[in-house]
Amino acid sequence: MENYSDEQLVVKYLKGEKKALDVLIKRYLQFIYSFCFRFIGNNQEAAEDITQDVFVKVWRNLKKFKKNKKFKTWIFTIAKNTCLDWLKKKRLILFSELNDDDSDNFFMENIPDDKPLPDELLERKDIADILEKAINSLSFKYRLVLWLHYNDHFTFQEIADILGESINTIKTRHWRGVARLKEILTKENETK
């Protein structure tokens, strides 16, 4: 069953094969948790609760899933809306606070490490610190688009669908986020 597409698994589940839902959950659990964790501001306990809520909503609404949509886009849209609901209820984190310099970095967790030499480690640490600081200085809306595009490999259309924005808005946020990141890194390099 692992080889079936998401949409095929939905059809199988709706026809009574309960294992199909288990496969979908295993396939998306880590991705949804990671998305929620970043979206709400790196709160592990809340991200776990929200992730659970997302999958309960998926289970309850699977009959409403439209066959002409991509399941991946649909589930991430549910995750985004569930995160927004949590933020509205809790009101503990303002969106402006999500730019906190102490928050974890979207991209640094995914840089491969091929057992570098000690001097390379020191150099990488310096670069990582610079990149982390630069990315964290971006506004949340730019960081989110960059994260979804480069980490989760969503297309701009999929990101637009998930965030409920136009594709042109997403492309603009991507372009501005990358441009701002280049600007910050160039300034950092000039000061050294």
Side-chain angles (χ1 to χ4, degrees), residues 71-103:
F71 181 81
K72 184 177 182 181
T73 305
W74 184 71
I75 193 171
F76 273 87
T77 302
I78 291 171
K80 176 205 63 160
N81 290 336
T82 306
C83 288
L84 287 173
D85 290 344
W86 183 87
L87 288 169
K88 286 177 191 172
K89 286 179 188 173
K90 297 298 177 184
R91 295 183 195 245
L92 294 176
I93 301 173
L94 300 173
F95 280 105
S96 61
E97 292 174 354
L98 293 175
N99 287 329
D100 186 347
D101 287 338
D102 295 331
S103 66

Side-chain angles (χ1 to χ4, degrees), residues 152-170:
D152 292 332
H153 309 290
F154 282 108
T155 65
F156 292 130
Q157 185 60 58
E158 290 170 331
I159 296 169
D161 293 343
I162 290 167
L163 299 180
E165 302 281 353
S166 74
I167 191 167
N168 289 334
T169 299
I170 298 305

Side-chain angles (χ1 to χ4, degrees), residues 11 34 38 43 84 106 115 132 137 147 150 160 162 173:
V11 170
S34 179
R38 300 287 182 201
N43 181 331
L84 287 173
F106 286 80
K115 298 182 182 177
E132 181 176 2
S137 69
W147 169 257
Y150 292 106
I162 290 167
R173 286 182 186 168

Side-chain angles (χ1 to χ4, degrees), residues 9-22:
L9 288 169
V10 170
V11 170
K12 287 198 166 293
Y13 175 76
L14 293 175
K15 288 183 177 179
E17 286 193 45
K18 303 297 182 198
K19 185 172 178 160
L21 183 61
D22 293 340

Side-chain angles (χ1 to χ4, degrees), residues 122-175:
L122 288 175
E123 185 177 332
R124 281 188 183 182
K125 174 73 171 120
D126 291 342
I127 292 170
D129 291 344
I130 292 166
L131 186 57
E132 181 176 2
K133 185 177 177 185
I135 291 171
N136 285 334
S137 69
L138 295 175
S139 72
F140 178 71
K141 63 185 179 182
Y142 299 138
R143 281 192 294 162
L144 185 58
V145 169
L146 292 175
W147 169 257
L148 289 171
H149 186 66
Y150 292 106
N151 188 63
D152 292 332
H153 309 290
F154 282 108
T155 65
F156 292 130
Q157 185 60 58
E158 290 170 331
I159 296 169
D161 293 343
I162 290 167
L163 299 180
E165 302 281 353
S166 74
I167 191 167
N168 289 334
T169 299
I170 298 305
K171 286 179 179 179
T172 300
R173 286 182 186 168
H174 175 266
W175 182 84

Side-chain angles (χ1 to χ4, degrees), residues 10 32 35-36 39-40 49-66 69-86 154 158 161-164:
V10 170
I32 295 298
F35 174 82
C36 294
F39 197 97
I40 63 165
D49 291 343
I50 294 167
T51 300
Q52 184 176 355
D53 289 346
V54 168
F55 283 102
V56 168
K57 289 178 182 180
V58 167
W59 172 69
R60 286 184 181 157
N61 294 295
L62 213 46
K63 291 177 184 173
K64 297 177 186 177
F65 174 72
K66 294 183 174 98
K69 283 188 119 185
K70 287 186 77 174
F71 181 81
K72 184 177 182 181
T73 305
W74 184 71
I75 193 171
F76 273 87
T77 302
I78 291 171
K80 176 205 63 160
N81 290 336
T82 306
C83 288
L84 287 173
D85 290 344
W86 183 87
F154 282 108
E158 290 170 331
D161 293 343
I162 290 167
L163 299 180

